[in-house]
Amino acid sequence: MTTSNTKYHNQLRTFLRILNEYPEDGQLSRFLPVFFRANRQMGSVDRRTASRLMYNYFRLGKASASLSPEERLFIAEFLCNSHSDPFLENFRPDLNSYATLPIEEKIRLLEAGDYDFRLEDVFPFHKHLSSEIEQPEFLRSFFIQPDLFIRIHPGREAFVKSRLRQEAISFTEYTDQTLALPNGTKLDQLFSSGKGGPEGIEVQDLSSQEAGSLFKPNKYEHWWDCCAASGGKSLYLFHQQPDIKLLVSDIRDNILENLDERFRAAGVGKYQKKILDLTKDPQPFLHGYSFDGIILDAPCSGSGTWGRSPELISQFKESRIEVFQRLQRSIAANVIKYLKPGKPLIYITCSVFKEENEDNVDFLVKNYNLQLEEQKTIKGYGRKADTMFAARLCV
C-alpha cells in the first residue's frame, strides 16, 4: 500500500471511529470539538478532513440505508463534491470519474444504479413541506454547505468590507448591509470582539434578515420579542428603528444572559427583560402591558436549518411535527391578547413544514379574529441559506 493509500485508509478509519463514538442524539457542532480535544494527536488537517467526512455523511439523510457506513460515505462524498476528490478516487474511482457532473445528473446516475438511492429518502418528511417549496431543488440543497451570512451595523459598512478585502476574504453582497462569506470564516479574528461577538456585525442568516422586512416599526412604539433567544431579531428591529421601547423574553435564563452580552456589544442599553414560560398565561407578569408589535419567532422543528446540522435529519421523528404545532398555537394564544388594536403579530419559524407554517396561520386567522396582511416562505435553498416562514397578522 502506498503512502497516499495509507493516508486515505487512516482517514476512513478515523471517520468510522468517530461515527461509532457519536451518540445518536448528539449535535455534531458540540461533539466534534470534544472528540478533537480528547485526541490532540490529530493535526488541523486531520480535524478538517474528519469534520468534512462526518458532515457529508449525514447530508445523505436516510438515503441508501441498506448500505454499509463506508459505502454511504462514498456516495455522500460523490454528491457533496463538485470536483475530483483524492479520497473518493482511492476507494471508488468509478464514482470519482463522474465528480464534475451537475448534481442533477449525479442523482440520476445513483438512482439508476445499484446504490439503494432515492432523492426523496434524503429527507423522508417531504410530504409535510410547505406548498411553495420546490421539493427536488430543496432536497438537492442538502448536498451543498450553506454560507455564513452577516448583517453589518448601520454606519460600519465601509469598514467591514474594507477589512474583508484586506484579508483577501471573498464575499457576496446581497445588500449594502448583508454579506455572504465562506462557511468557517473566523470573524472573531477579523474584527475586535468581546463576549457578545464580533463588533460592528451580526451573524444572521439571509432568510432571517428577510423575515425582518415584515417588522416595519415606527418611532416610540412598544414592541415585544417574546421568544427572543439571543436577540438577533431584536437587534435588527432596533437597527430599523432605534427609538422604540422593547421587551424581550425567553424561558431560558442563560439564553437571556447571552442576549445581554450581545446587546452590550451592539451598544443597545435600553430594554426590558423577563423570563417567561409562554405555554402558561403570562398575565401575572404582564398585567397592564400592551404592544404595538409582537415578534413570535416560535420554537419549531428547525427543519429549514438542517443544511447546517444535517445530523438532525436522521434524528428527527415525524411525530414531533404535531408536538411543535401544538406548542406554537399555545404560545400564540397567550401573546395575541397583548396586541393593541390594528397592530401586528409577526409569526416566524425556521421550519419547512406546512403544519408549523401555513396551517398555523390559517388556525390563528380562524380562531383569533386576526387578519393576514402578508405571508411568505423564504426560500434559502439555491442561495446557500436557511429556509424560513414569516407572516404578518393584525388584530
Side-chain angles (χ1 to χ4, degrees):
M1 185 181 296
T2 66
T3 302
S4 178
N5 287 343
T6 300
K7 178 178 76 171
Y8 298 126
H9 278 81
N10 286 339
Q11 289 174 350
L12 179 59
R13 279 195 292 270
T14 299
F15 161 78
L16 291 172
R17 179 189 167 196
I18 297 174
L19 187 64
N20 183 60
E21 293 188 23
Y22 176 69
E24 288 186 359
D25 60 349
Q27 293 185 27
L28 276 177
S29 62
R30 294 182 180 178
F31 173 79
L32 288 175
V34 174
F35 180 89
F36 294 146
R37 282 196 296 272
N39 294 270
R40 295 186 182 278
Q41 75 279 8
M42 295 180 67
S44 59
V45 174
D46 293 333
R47 293 195 298 270
R48 285 197 298 271
T49 299
S51 294
R52 186 198 84 219
L53 296 179
M54 286 293 289
Y55 273 94
N56 284 354
Y57 176 82
F58 282 107
R59 290 188 183 283
L60 202 58
K62 296 194 176 182
S64 303
S66 66
L67 303 184
S68 68
E70 296 96 320
E71 287 300 317
R72 296 187 77 231
L73 174 64
F74 301 149
I75 291 171
E77 282 288 287
F78 172 61
L79 289 169
C80 292
N81 289 296
S82 59
H83 50 76
S84 180
D85 177 14
F87 175 87
L88 187 61
E89 176 67 24
N90 186 78
F91 295 104
R92 292 299 302 270
D94 56 320
L95 285 177
N96 194 53
S97 64
Y98 296 104
T100 58
L101 287 177
I103 186 64
E104 296 86 353
E105 294 185 31
K106 289 184 178 182
I107 289 168
R108 282 197 290 270
L109 185 153
L110 293 174
E111 289 183 330
D114 189 21
Y115 301 98
D116 185 30
F117 181 88
R118 296 188 310 165
L119 180 60
E120 62 183 22
D121 291 340
V122 171
F123 187 88
F125 319 105
H126 47 82
K127 68 180 181 181
H128 296 281
L129 288 175
S130 285
S131 59
E132 293 183 12
I133 292 177
E134 297 91 353
Q135 180 179 312
E137 188 178 353
F138 172 71
L139 297 181
R140 290 193 298 266
S141 73
F142 281 101
F143 303 116
I144 301 171
Q145 185 181 53
D147 280 336
L148 172 66
F149 290 90
I150 63 173
R151 180 174 57 80
I152 308 174
H153 293 187
R156 302 285 284 174
E157 297 87 353
F159 167 76
V160 170
K161 294 170 192 175
S162 174
R163 186 82 177 92
L164 292 171
R165 294 187 183 104
Q166 179 184 345
E167 296 298 321
I169 294 175
S170 62
F171 61 87
T172 301
E173 190 169 345
Y174 281 86
T175 71
D176 196 36
Q177 294 178 321
T178 304
L179 307 181
L181 308 175
N183 205 295
T185 302
K186 304 297 185 184
L187 295 174
D188 287 345
Q189 298 175 11
L190 289 170
F191 306 99
S192 59
S193 62
K195 292 183 180 179
E199 294 180 359
I201 62 172
E202 302 297 333
V203 175
Q204 187 174 31
D205 186 77
L206 176 65
S207 297
S208 179
Q209 295 184 48
E210 291 187 12
S213 67
L214 297 185
F215 295 167
K216 305 174 186 176
N218 296 309
K219 263 190 173 186
Y220 312 126
E221 286 186 335
H222 195 183
W223 280 68
W224 178 21
D225 188 353
C226 63
C227 297
S230 59
K233 292 181 177 63
S234 287
L235 284 175
Y236 195 14
L237 183 72
F238 263 123
H239 287 152
Q240 290 180 17
Q241 178 49 261
D243 296 315
I244 59 167
K245 292 186 291 183
L246 178 67
L247 170 67
V248 295
S249 65
D250 201 279
I251 194 173
R252 301 157 294 180
D253 183 36
N254 62 318
I255 290 291
L256 289 176
E257 289 177 1
N258 294 338
L259 178 147
D260 288 334
E261 296 289 351
R262 193 173 183 183
F263 275 28
R264 275 194 286 271
V268 175
K270 293 183 178 180
Y271 59 97
Q272 289 182 292
K273 180 179 69 171
K274 291 182 182 290
I275 301 170
L276 296 175
D277 178 359
L278 292 175
T279 62
K280 303 172 183 176
D281 188 350
Q283 197 275 339
F285 309 97
L286 295 180
H287 180 70
Y289 278 80
S290 61
F291 298 96
D292 299 290
I294 297 176
I295 300 170
L296 172 51
D297 188 0
C300 70
S301 64
S303 48
T305 71
W306 290 350
R308 300 185 187 278
S309 48
E311 71 276 14
L312 296 180
I313 305 172
S314 301
Q315 296 175 12
F316 190 75
K317 302 293 190 292
E318 191 171 10
S319 59
R320 295 290 295 165
I321 299 174
E322 184 179 350
V323 173
F324 280 114
Q325 184 188 62
R326 291 199 302 268
L327 174 63
Q328 291 147 1
R329 292 181 179 184
S330 171
I331 293 174
N334 282 327
V335 304
I336 288 170
K337 55 192 172 184
Y338 294 97
L339 271 175
K340 295 177 183 177
K343 298 300 183 178
L345 170 74
I346 313 298
Y347 177 78
I348 301 171
T349 76
C350 49
S351 171
V352 295
F353 297 139
K354 61 177 182 274
E355 290 88 343
E356 299 183 86
N357 298 340
E358 306 100 300
D359 289 0
N360 269 351
V361 168
D362 291 345
F363 175 84
L364 295 176
V365 168
K366 180 179 179 181
N367 290 277
Y368 294 96
N369 197 32
L370 295 174
Q371 300 295 319
L372 176 62
E373 288 191 356
E374 182 180 358
Q375 74 176 25
K376 54 184 177 180
T377 300
I378 307 171
K379 304 171 187 177
Y381 56 90
R383 303 187 300 173
K384 295 186 178 182
D386 299 338
T387 293
M388 299 182 65
F389 177 85
R392 181 181 169 101
L393 305 106
C394 288
V395 175

